[in-house]
């Protein structure tokens, strides 16, 4: 799995003009699934996201996690994280999992975050989504599992 995490003060996702998910202070997570990923991979990544210390403490150091600050997540499925641009000018997405597998593991990831006590807003899998966010910092990280 690949995830891009953006620390946000707010983020929303709309599909066809309708709000599908949102979060206040927390993380926007763009999640890509690879063919080799499993439910265990999704649960491990969710645990990492929940515990990752990327929020400032009283000294401004990144020492607090989502769980520490009571933050939330806006989770967006993003197969384009596996776009390969090494040849030509049009990306290839053969490194992304098939839609059925990706949809299932996106759900496992979101459920795992909720089971860790985090509020989770979601995009709509496979839909054209409009994401609006206010980046905090900005802080943007890439996480990958093996």
């Amino acid at each position: 799995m690949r995830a891009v995490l953006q620390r946000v003060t707010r983020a929303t996702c709309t599909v066809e003009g309708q709000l599908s998910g949102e979060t206040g202070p927390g993380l926007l997570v763009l999640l890509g699934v690879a063919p080799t990923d499993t439910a265990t991979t999704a649960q491990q990544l969710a645990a990492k996201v929940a515990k990752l210390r990327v929020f400032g403490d009283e000294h401004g150091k990144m020492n607090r996690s989502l769980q520490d600050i009571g933050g939330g997540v806006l989770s967006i499925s993003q197969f384009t994280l596996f776009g390969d641009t090494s040849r030509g000018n049009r990306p290839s997405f053969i490194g992304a999992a098939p839609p059925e597998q990706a949809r299932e593991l996106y759900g496992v990831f979101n459920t795992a975050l909720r089971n860790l006590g985090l509020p989770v807003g979601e995009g709509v899998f496979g839909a054209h989504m409009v994401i609006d966010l206010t980046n905090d910092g900005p802080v943007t990280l890439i996480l990958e599992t093996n």
Side-chain angles (χ1 to χ4, degrees), residues 7-123:
R7 192 174 75 185
V8 298
T9 57
R10 60 149 204 88
T12 62
C13 175
T14 56
V15 177
E16 296 181 7
Q18 298 295 314
L19 182 69
S20 71
E22 64 184 330
T23 190
L27 293 173
L28 169 65
V29 177
L30 306 175
L31 182 72
V33 179
T36 56
D37 290 327
T38 65
T40 300
T41 308
Q43 293 162 345
Q44 289 172 340
L45 184 61
K48 178 82 171 184
V49 167
K51 296 175 184 174
L52 196 63
R53 297 184 313 170
V54 295
F55 297 92
D57 64 13
E58 62 277 2
H59 304 290
K61 293 193 179 219
M62 286 194 227
N63 269 333
R64 293 188 176 143
S65 69
L66 272 172
Q67 292 174 318
D68 295 333
I69 68 160
V73 172
L74 176 57
S75 175
I76 306 295
S77 61
Q78 189 82 21
F79 76 94
T80 59
L81 290 178
F82 284 96
D84 179 358
T85 59
S86 62
R87 294 183 184 187
N89 295 317
R90 183 170 185 249
S92 167
F93 300 106
I94 61 172
E100 303 78 26
Q101 177 189 7
R103 181 187 308 270
E104 178 184 342
L105 294 181
Y106 174 62
V108 170
F109 175 79
N110 293 334
T111 298
L113 288 172
R114 287 186 184 101
N115 289 342
L116 292 166
L118 299 173
V120 179
E122 295 183 26

